[in-house]
């Protein structure tokens, strides 16, 4: 991407207390002029090891001995490279980024002549265009109403509709729209088209709340067409570094009163929205599994994680993969079961929302107990098949945990449950 010419100006004008304070809670130190709080990069018992010095424009943690300036903090906290950190700081400081397009550099990503600033503008313009399209589509509006989405919710989550190639006339040049993943060029013919045509569009936001990509949900099922489809990875949108709903959950956890006690993980954006509207802090991954960057993002929100799987074999496998990925980082994981008493036919939270029924959790249980119950038995192990399932599923999951004390406790729990 092009060099950023005014990098020094961005760093000099940035308010480090404001930038860091948007992400963690800072309080005035008992002595000295600095601010202090819990370090977001390690488990801090005192909640005071992380120091921010406005006069020095620096931060330092006396616990993990990490430190630096505002750009190093953003790079570490947001899992991004130096140019992207500068763009985040500039956006939050209301500074215009100035690019030098005479030179190009590679930052471990596809080289592009389109500055990130222009890509953000392209996705924002497409989002506005999709929102206008939605107002003109009675079928799309009727679909959202059937799913339980009110006009306020449609506006809040910026739902839209992709019809034809209308986004091509949103005021952004075609090359930028292609680079931003909004438009695509057909192989062979070179025809420019919208990959999300015929779909409800759900914008995916970055950690600052800016739209960076979209998920499209088919309005009318087509043969061999996936129900959901994401825009491609771009210099500003990477599915492995993004969690749908993360920015909304961050705001929920920042509340002093009424803040959630833990974080839910679910499959699918519409399900996550239904949970958030019911008051549960919930995120959804956009890919097939959790990356290390996404796990780090989850850990920053809460150390209490509950996964709500879909009630089928695919949901079981997905929840198992996610739980194992989180546990390798020492994160405690519970499995939550949706309360379906009001409607036993409801599969997901958005089904309950569509029926106008309350969304609540029936019960939660530790991951290892859920794994035993769903893969082996609800009581003692009595058959060879149950014993084989214990060997194949439960014991390997315990062995993967990085903490010996946790492994010992989990072996004891499974011994008591199984009678082995």
């Amino acid at each position: 991407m092009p060099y950023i010419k005014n990098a020094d100006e961005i760093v000099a004008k940035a308010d480090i207390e404001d930038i860091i304070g948007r992400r963690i809670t800072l309080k005035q130190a008992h002595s000295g002029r600095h601010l202090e709080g819990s370090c977001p990069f390690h488990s801090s018992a005192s909640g005071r090891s992380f120091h921010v010095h406005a006069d020095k424009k620096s931060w330092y943690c006396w616990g993990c001995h990490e430190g630096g300036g505002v750009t190093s903090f953003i790079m570490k906290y947001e899992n991004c490279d130096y140019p992207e950190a500068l763009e985040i700081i500039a956006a939050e400081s209301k500074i215009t980024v100035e690019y030098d397009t005479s030179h190009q550099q590679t930052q471990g990503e596809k080289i592009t002549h389109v500055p990130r600033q222009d890509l953000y503008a392209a996705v924002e313009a497409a989002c506005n265009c999709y929102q206008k399209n939605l107002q003109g589509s009675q079928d799309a509006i009727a679909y959202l109403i059937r799913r339980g989405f009110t006009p306020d919710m449609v506006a809040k989550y910026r739902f839209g509709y992709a019809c034809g190639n209308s986004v091509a006339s949103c005021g952004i040049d075609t090359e930028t729209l292609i680079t931003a993943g909004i438009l695509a060029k057909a192989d062979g013919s070179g025809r420019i088209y919208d990959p999300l045509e015929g779909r409800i569009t759900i914008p995916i936001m970055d950690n600052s709340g800016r739209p960076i990509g979209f998920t499209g949900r088919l309005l009318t099922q087509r043969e061999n067409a996936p129900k959901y489809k994401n825009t491609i990875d771009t210099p500003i949108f990477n599915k492995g570094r993004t969690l749908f709903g993360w920015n909304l959950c961050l705001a929920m956890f920042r509340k002093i009163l009424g803040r959630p006690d833990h974080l839910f993980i679910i499959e699918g954006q519409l399900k996550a929205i239904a949970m958030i509207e019911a008051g549960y802090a919930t995120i959804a991954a956009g890919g097939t599994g959790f990356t290390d960057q996404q796990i780090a993002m989850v850990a920053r929100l809460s150390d209490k994680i509950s996964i709500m799987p879909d009630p089928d074999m695919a949901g079981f496998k997905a929840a198992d993969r996610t739980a194992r990925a989180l546990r390798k980082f020492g994160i405690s994981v519970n499995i939550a079961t949706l309360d379906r008493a009001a409607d036993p036919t409801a599969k997901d939270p958005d089904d309950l929302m569509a029926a106008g029924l309350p969304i609540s959790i029936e019960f939660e249980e530790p991951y290892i107990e859920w794994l035993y119950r769903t893969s082996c038995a609800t009581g003692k192990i009595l058959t060879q098949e149950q014993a084989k399932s214990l060997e194949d599923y439960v014991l390997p999951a315990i062995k993967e945990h990085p903490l010996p004390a946790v492994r010992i406790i989990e072996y004891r729990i499974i011994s008591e449950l199984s009678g082995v």
Side-chain angles (χ1 to χ4, degrees):
M1 63 171 291
Y3 288 109
I4 295 177
K5 294 192 295 184
N6 62 332
D8 292 340
E9 176 198 2
I10 293 170
V11 174
K13 290 184 176 180
D15 184 337
I16 191 170
E17 291 183 351
D18 177 65
I19 297 294
I20 296 179
R22 290 170 181 261
R23 291 158 176 82
I24 66 173
T25 300
L26 296 173
K27 297 180 180 179
Q28 186 64 46
H30 296 308
S31 61
R33 292 180 294 177
H34 65 277
L35 300 181
E36 59 187 18
S38 294
C39 179
F41 308 124
H42 83 289
S43 179
S44 174
S46 69
R48 298 173 54 188
S49 64
F50 187 89
H51 292 188
V52 178
H53 299 268
D55 55 339
K56 300 176 183 178
K57 289 187 174 292
S58 66
W59 62 276
Y60 185 78
C61 176
W62 294 93
C64 63
H65 304 293
E66 294 275 357
V70 66
T71 50
S72 67
F73 178 86
I74 292 298
M75 288 170 67
K76 189 173 180 64
Y77 190 92
E78 304 288 356
N79 298 307
C80 63
D81 56 24
Y82 180 71
E84 187 174 359
L86 286 174
E87 291 179 322
I88 292 171
I89 295 166
E92 296 184 8
S93 304
K94 296 181 171 56
I95 302 171
T96 301
V97 179
E98 298 175 8
Y99 297 96
D100 180 0
T101 57
S102 62
H103 300 282
Q104 299 292 321
Q105 63 182 358
T106 303
Q107 296 290 344
E109 61 185 21
K110 179 182 176 181
I111 297 177
T112 174
H113 294 280
V114 181
R116 271 193 174 92
Q117 194 165 263
D118 293 348
L119 297 178
Y120 286 122
V123 179
E124 176 64 31
C127 191
N128 290 331
C129 180
Y130 290 145
Q131 286 181 283
K132 291 179 181 177
N133 291 346
L134 178 63
Q135 300 309 312
S137 173
Q138 294 301 316
D139 289 342
I141 292 175
Y143 169 82
L144 291 172
I145 292 174
R146 287 197 306 271
R147 296 298 298 266
F149 293 97
T150 65
D152 287 344
M153 292 167 62
V154 169
K156 175 182 177 181
Y157 295 98
R158 303 189 67 181
F159 284 107
Y161 179 60
C163 57
N165 215 11
S166 60
V167 75
S169 59
C170 68
I172 305 295
D173 67 273
T174 301
E175 184 62 34
T176 300
L177 289 170
I178 291 174
T179 305
I182 307 302
L183 295 179
K185 187 178 293 185
D187 295 335
S189 67
R191 179 179 67 87
I192 305 299
Y193 67 98
D194 186 341
L196 300 184
E197 180 180 354
R199 297 173 183 267
I200 298 285
T201 59
I202 310 164
I204 300 171
M205 308 296 185
D206 66 7
N207 296 348
S208 300
R210 293 178 296 187
I212 54 176
F214 296 92
T215 291
R217 204 284 184 195
L218 268 180
L219 194 59
T220 304
Q221 190 60 46
R222 298 195 295 259
E223 187 177 357
N224 298 325
K227 185 182 294 184
Y228 288 93
K229 185 177 184 179
N230 292 320
T231 49
I232 62 170
D233 282 0
T234 70
I236 64 171
F237 173 49
N238 184 303
K239 289 186 285 293
R241 290 169 50 183
T242 306
L243 289 170
F244 180 83
W246 194 92
N247 61 308
L248 297 174
C249 290
L250 178 62
M252 295 173 75
F253 277 101
R254 280 178 175 169
K255 290 181 180 178
I256 297 175
L257 298 176
R259 59 181 293 171
D261 58 356
H262 61 299
L263 178 71
F264 286 85
I265 297 175
I266 201 166
E267 288 188 78
Q269 290 90 341
L270 297 184
K271 300 172 192 176
I273 290 173
M275 289 285 287
I276 291 172
E277 288 298 309
Y280 297 98
T282 307
I283 54 93
T288 56
F290 268 69
T291 64
D292 289 355
Q293 293 91 337
Q294 289 172 323
I295 292 172
M297 292 171 67
V298 165
R300 287 174 196 149
L301 289 177
S302 178
D303 58 359
K304 298 178 180 179
I305 308 300
S306 289
I307 300 171
M308 182 179 288
D310 288 348
D312 53 28
M313 182 53 68
F316 166 87
K317 291 181 178 179
D320 185 45
R321 285 195 304 267
T322 301
R324 289 190 180 208
L326 292 167
R327 281 163 54 87
K328 287 179 181 178
F329 284 78
I331 298 172
S332 179
V333 180
N334 282 349
I335 304 296
T337 299
L338 182 67
D339 186 351
R340 299 179 174 86
D343 182 2
T345 65
K347 291 179 59 180
D348 305 307
D350 51 332
D351 293 332
L352 293 172
M353 186 178 74
L357 298 172
I359 296 171
S360 61
I361 308 304
E362 182 179 4
F363 65 92
E364 296 183 54
E365 59 186 327
Y367 159 75
I368 208 67
E369 295 181 28
W370 167 84
L371 184 62
Y372 174 80
R373 178 175 59 81
T374 53
S375 64
C376 299
T378 56
K380 305 296 184 184
I381 285 183
L382 302 174
T383 68
Q384 289 184 349
E385 183 179 359
Q386 291 173 331
K388 185 177 186 304
S389 294
L390 180 67
E391 284 280 0
D392 291 344
Y393 296 106
V394 182
L395 298 186
I398 296 177
K399 292 175 184 177
E400 289 174 355
H401 201 286
L403 302 179
V406 173
R407 295 198 296 269
I408 291 170
I409 291 171
E410 290 185 340
Y411 280 130
R412 288 176 179 171
I413 291 171
I414 296 304
S415 178
E416 291 176 3
L417 290 174
S418 67
V420 177

